Amino acid sequence: MEIKLQNIRKRFGETVALDDLSLEFCDGKLTTLLGPSGCGKSTLLNLISGILPPTSGSIYFGDRDVTSLSPDKRNIGLVFQNYALYPHMTVGENIAFPLEIKKVSKKERLERAAEFAKLLRIEDYFNRKPSQLSGGQQQRVAIARALAKEPEILLLDEPLSNLDARLRLEMREEIRRLQLETGITTIFVTHDQEEALSISDHILLLKKGRIQQYGLPQELYDEP
Ligand code: ADP
Ligand code: ADP
């Protein structure tokens, strides 16, 4: 599902976090939002997920104007830096939980949780609690949970930041594998240029709430 931004502005009081962005995120591609802290990456992701409303402008998913829709009406999978798993639930219950809200039957919930645990290679930990898993494994659970409800769009907000260097590389490849396998339109947020270059179909470079560059990884260059 392509995502279209039309003249998007977001202010917080005097601060202009996003300044008149117009852009299309391509269907089925992985686009990375890259830029230093404070450039507007989280704000843009929060507008696309519907957690925050824009000050002005419109957001479309395909032909559908979603600008005033709440997050639960947008059919999006979200993964955060801190995993945000439910600590009292098992891995399987965590993955199945969004399906419960969507009123999927118990039998199908379990089947789908098992299927996505397998896809993320965490089926051996299905009955464990998140606290019994490593950071990388917890992030796999969060990704499985986001994908299990079969969203049209996957938003990943610095999903690798809390992992050590080895796991960061491993999970980077894992995310790319899943994205290519499922063909889901994905936006990946990072401030790490090397990470962006290695994982993306397209890179959107933000600077102070404006688009500095948008294009293929090989077109990205360092500004002096
Ligand atoms: P990034 O994710 O790239 O670090 P953010 O989107 O978090 O950037 O922030 C963009 C700008 O908007 C920054 O100047 C930040 O201080 C400001 N900002 C973000 N959220 C809020 C908020 N809730 N209230 C006030 N200012 C905010
Ligand atoms: P990031 O990891 O993207 O840099 P931040 O630490 O900038 O995230 O922001 C974390 C949260 O705090 C975000 O939800 C953002 O909207 C909010 N925030 C960022 N800057 C401000 C600010 N100046 N005032 C209030 N809230 C802010």
Side-chain angles (χ1 to χ4, degrees):
M1 179 73 66
E2 90 202 1
I3 305 166
K4 211 178 319 172
L5 309 179
Q6 242 171 37
N7 304 107
I8 286 293
R9 284 177 199 275
K10 181 66 183 177
R11 291 172 162 277
F12 296 101
E14 293 289 289
T15 307
V16 180
L18 295 173
D19 192 4
D20 199 21
L21 299 195
S22 294
L23 179 79
E24 248 178 72
F25 294 91
C26 296
D27 184 28
K29 300 294 185 191
L30 191 157
T31 303
T32 295
L33 289 185
L34 177 65
S37 186
C39 71
K41 303 183 296 297
S42 296
T43 301
L44 183 51
L45 217 61
N46 288 339
L47 295 187
I48 292 170
S49 67
I51 291 170
L52 287 175
T55 304
S56 60
S58 306
I59 302 173
Y60 294 86
F61 293 171
D63 293 331
R64 193 162 61 119
D65 184 345
V66 300
T67 314
S68 53
L69 291 186
S70 59
D72 57 312
K73 301 258 161 40
R74 295 193 183 195
N75 202 14
I76 273 180
L78 273 171
V79 176
F80 302 99
Q81 183 173 342
N82 61 3
Y83 326 130
L85 300 175
Y86 308 111
H88 57 290
M89 295 184 192
T90 64
V91 165
E93 288 163 350
N94 263 282
I95 299 172
F97 187 69
L99 301 171
E100 200 171 326
I101 295 171
K102 284 181 93 179
K103 307 238 187 292
V104 175
S105 74
K106 187 165 184 194
K107 180 167 172 288
E108 197 185 332
R109 285 205 303 270
L110 263 177
E111 282 171 6
R112 259 210 258 170
E115 177 194 337
F116 282 88
K118 195 154 177 246
L119 186 65
L120 271 296
R121 302 175 178 147
I122 44 174
E123 65 268 37
D124 291 350
Y125 312 112
F126 202 72
N127 294 314
R128 292 204 197 162
K129 295 278 171 65
S131 59
Q132 298 170 289
L133 305 181
S134 72
Q137 289 163 343
Q138 290 187 51
Q139 198 51 297
R140 285 171 185 270
V141 179
I143 296 169
R145 182 178 62 181
L147 289 175
K149 62 177 182 180
E150 301 184 326
E152 291 170 310
I153 291 164
L154 182 62
L155 302 180
L156 306 163
D157 195 355
E158 306 226 12
L160 309 179
S161 299
N162 283 341
L163 304 177
D164 65 39
R166 188 183 57 82
L167 275 176
R168 228 168 19 236
L169 280 178
E170 181 186 310
M171 288 307 294
R172 182 200 285 187
E173 285 170 19
E174 190 71 3
I175 286 171
R176 187 53 167 161
R177 173 182 75 85
L178 286 166
Q179 194 277 325
L180 290 170
E181 222 169 282
T182 58
I184 187 168
T185 304
T186 302
I187 302 180
F188 178 93
V189 172
T190 184
H191 54 259
D192 181 334
Q193 176 165 326
E194 201 257 323
E195 198 166 279
L197 290 171
S198 73
I199 202 174
S200 315
D201 292 306
H202 299 126
I203 296 178
L204 173 62
L205 187 59
L206 285 180
K207 188 176 181 182
K208 296 181 181 163
R210 289 171 168 268
I211 298 171
Q212 186 171 31
Q213 241 184 297
Y214 176 73
L216 303 171
Q218 59 266 33
E219 292 166 354
L220 193 79
Y221 60 90
D222 283 321
E223 291 267 304

